[in-house]
Amino acid sequence: MSAIAYFDLTGKTALVTGSSGGLGLAMARGLAEAGAEIVLNGRDADRLAQAAESFGERAGQVHFSVFDVCDEEAIKGAFGRLDNEGRVIDILINNAGVQFRRPMLELESADWRRVLETNLTSAFIMGREAARRMVARGGGGKIINIGSLTSEVARATVAPYTAAKGGIKMLTRSMAAEWAAHGIQANAIGPGYIDTEMNKALTSDANFDAWVKGRTPSGRWGLPKDLVGTAIFLASAASDYVNGQTIYVDGGMLAVL
């Protein structure tokens, strides 16, 4: 196999949750450019339709599925519709997530549960439904979970997010432990501080902006496109013997004190 062929996703279909914008849309575009057919996901049909149109000449290979990743029955229904359409999911990226900043002494249980369900439980349910089909048909598949720097380290005021992303690291390992024998590779990407809409409050804070740039060896915020190469690698044959790993795309932040 040639070097280029290792990364060719032609004939594969990828479902990316939370992909009407931000990191999810950037990774979906990258996978499409590598040849994959794409299924976008979100809760807003209009935003998803606009996102699909933004693929330009590749829009014909882009579809979307409207459902809430926190609703187990909606997830099962979405996979059922994909089954009925004959659409086989070879690659799943569990990207959907939320952030909630509040000191733990002031944190309500409902907000804790909401963050855990969106960032962690949804990845388990989505992964389970995708893996059931991958195992049944044979041939394996790729599951990519989105972790965080907080899969490794903690910051004040984001305890539920930290717990969820730490859980993503171990969920990924558990997926590898149980499903590797079926040819499924489950890995995670841990983004550093990325300039997205979700982080707008942080990027617009002059003190925090200076802290990120000073703390990161690369001296800048990451961009959504910085995750694309890692996503393609983990979605492709190039990573067929990589399993249960978390790759941090953080400009070197975790490497230094």
Side-chain angles (χ1 to χ4, degrees), residues 13-29:
T13 299
L15 167 58
V16 185
T17 67
S19 50
S20 58
L23 300 183
L25 182 56
M27 289 186 286
R29 283 179 177 148

Side-chain angles (χ1 to χ4, degrees), residues 12 90 133-142 182-185 240:
K12 304 295 185 181
D90 306 287
R133 290 158 173 82
M134 292 172 182
V135 170
R137 70 173 180 263
K142 304 282 186 174
H182 299 283
I184 297 170
Q185 289 84 53
D240 278 355

